[in-house]
Every structure is written in structure tokens, then in C-alpha cells.
Amino acid sequence: MSSVVSATTGSVYGATPVTSRHDEFLDSARLLLGDAQRQLAAGAGDLAVESAYRSALRTAGAVISQSATVAKRKRLPTSAWEKLALTGPRGAYWAENLSKFSRMRGRVASGIELHPRVEDVERLVGLAASFYAETAGEADGVFAA
């Protein structure tokens, strides 16, 4: 019996695509990162902060989802950054650098800080892009929207 394959998606009609949690996290991270870069370019630093931070969290989720070390632990920390630090030296590096933006993100999200410093937003977006690129296996660490 033959199968009908969609010319646009390349998948068999009626079949559900199989994606891993890792891939789902990275897909979400990529979309959020693109949004952060667009918001930054448009001068909407507050929105760029939220999207970049969420992108970094999704990327952390992708790393955590594939970590045998985290999976074996009986008592996990609740913080995504603390879980990421458990994955190894690179995870600890990214957790240390990205968790520093938690306070800024909270202040922006709550409306306490309406206009974050452009330099801080650029730094967060840059770190989120580099973390995504490293995790997704992109060569130069620069994300192209």
C-alpha cells in the first residue's frame, strides 16, 4: 500500500510528527529570540527583555531535558537556572550569566522599570542568542532572524 506524502510538509498525511521535548524547547526558543531581536531593533526594550529571557529559559529547558544527571536526581531545585547548572560546566556557565538578568526581568515585567538600559537589553539578547546557538549547534553564535 502506498502513502500520500505532502509536498509542502514532507510528512505522511494522517501521521503526527514526532518531536522531542528538546526540539520543542529549541523551536520555542528560536521564535522568542527572533521576537526579542525585532523588539530590540524597534526600540521596545521592555518587550525584548521578556522575549530574550523566555528564549533563554526555553533553551535551558532543552539542555535540561537531555541531561542524565538531572534526570537521576531525586530532589531537584525549582529554579531552571539551578537545574541548568547541574548539567555540567557549560550549563553552570550559562546559568551563572543568564540568572543575573532575573531581577531586571522581574522589575520590567512588574512595571517597576519601564525603560531598561539599552546596553543591558543588548547584553541579554546577545547572551540568549549565543546560548541558543551553542545548544542548537550553530557555528558562530549569531542568530539570524
Side-chain angles (χ1 to χ4, degrees):
M1 177 158 33
S2 65
S3 297
V4 177
V5 178
S6 167
T8 56
T9 65
S11 63
V12 176
Y13 285 119
T16 56
V18 178
T19 57
S20 67
R21 290 190 71 207
H22 177 265
D23 293 340
E24 289 172 5
F25 278 125
L26 284 181
D27 287 345
S28 178
R30 180 181 46 78
L31 294 173
L32 287 163
L33 186 55
D35 183 62
Q37 291 172 330
R38 285 187 295 279
Q39 297 295 349
L40 179 60
D46 57 337
L47 299 175
V49 165
E50 183 62 23
S51 290
Y53 193 84
R54 289 176 55 205
S55 174
L57 285 172
R58 296 309 185 285
T59 305
V63 173
I64 293 164
S65 73
Q66 292 198 318
S67 171
T69 304
V70 174
K72 285 192 255 181
R73 295 254 328 208
K74 292 187 191 225
R75 292 183 187 232
L76 284 172
T78 57
S79 163
W81 303 128
E82 290 175 7
K83 288 178 188 174
L84 180 61
L86 296 173
T87 65
R90 290 306 292 166
Y93 167 83
W94 288 114
E96 178 183 340
N97 285 284
L98 290 163
S99 66
K100 294 175 184 176
F101 291 93
S102 180
R103 183 171 185 264
M104 180 178 73
R105 186 241 187 159
R107 291 178 59 80
V108 170
S110 66
I112 295 171
E113 190 174 336
L114 298 176
H115 303 288
R117 289 179 6 148
V118 174
E119 298 82 13
D120 294 337
V121 179
E122 289 173 342
R123 176 91 173 118
L124 173 58
V125 172
L127 282 170
S130 295
F131 182 34
Y132 173 84
E134 181 179 300
T135 303
E138 294 182 4
D140 59 5
V142 176
F143 178 79

